[in-house]
Amino acid sequence: MDAARTCDVKALRHAVEAGACVTYRNRNGETAATLLALRNCAEGVAFLAQCDASLLTMENHHGWNPIMWLIANHNLDAVLELANDHPHILTHKNSIGVDVFYLLTFFYRDEVSMAKLVKALRKHNLPLPDNYQSRLRAACIVPSRVERLALRP
């Protein structure tokens, strides 16, 4: 946990190789993946994902998972990279119904980021969220622009 708390990926690798549990929770309910994501350490989160740590383990205090923290830290590219091996992270909802799409409309509010998500969802044959276009409009994002950008190579 100390390696995760300080974003020391090298020390984290050594700890895991020595047998550290990648699913351990501290007294606040945080996993190592959560601590790394809170500090925007995408490399550490990706490493733990390779070690079968869940990217969707909810933290007790906020109910957010590591993917949500990466988005809150404006690291969409890391999330999309993780989605190549774990596409389900793009559609997972937490206990109160918050998903990646919702967080993007809240934290990013731009057509380019939304187009990246739409493109990733389609790449992995995942459905677009319910009320997709109305949710974009509510965030002052023009759905037709997102669609045009998502079609670009």
Side-chain angles (χ1 to χ4, degrees):
M1 282 301 222
D2 289 334
R5 192 173 294 107
T6 60
C7 300
D8 186 344
V9 178
K10 187 176 179 180
L12 181 66
R13 287 180 192 275
H14 289 302
V16 170
E17 288 169 4
C21 178
V22 296
T23 58
Y24 174 78
R25 289 176 177 262
N26 67 14
R27 67 174 180 231
N28 296 324
E30 300 159 331
T31 63
T34 300
L35 291 172
L36 290 162
L38 275 165
R39 287 152 184 82
N40 205 17
C41 185
E43 179 186 359
V45 174
F47 169 70
L48 289 178
Q50 292 172 351
C51 299
D52 294 328
S54 175
L55 300 175
L56 301 175
T57 300
M58 298 297 170
E59 176 203 335
N60 288 344
H61 186 64
H62 296 287
W64 282 30
N65 62 46
I67 298 306
M68 294 174 169
W69 284 115
L70 285 174
I71 289 172
N73 285 318
H74 294 273
N75 205 338
L76 175 61
D77 291 334
V79 171
L80 296 177
E81 184 67 31
L82 287 166
N84 286 328
D85 293 325
H86 310 279
H88 62 283
I89 64 175
L90 297 175
T91 56
H92 179 79
K93 293 183 178 185
N94 74 358
S95 59
I96 59 169
V98 174
D99 59 9
V100 170
F101 190 88
Y102 172 82
L103 290 174
L104 284 183
T105 59
F106 185 79
F107 285 107
Y108 287 75
R109 293 184 178 235
D110 71 279
E111 285 97 1
V112 174
S113 297
M114 294 309 297
K116 285 180 179 181
L117 176 59
V118 168
K119 187 182 279 191
L121 287 168
R122 289 182 176 149
K123 172 184 171 184
H124 299 292
N125 295 316
L126 295 169
L128 291 172
D130 295 334
N131 305 320
Y132 153 70
Q133 292 193 354
S134 61
R135 288 171 72 179
L136 287 177
R137 283 189 205 97
C140 300
I141 298 171
V142 180
S144 60
R145 288 188 197 154
V146 171
E147 289 296 328
R148 278 195 303 272
L149 289 169
L151 292 174
R152 290 184 182 170

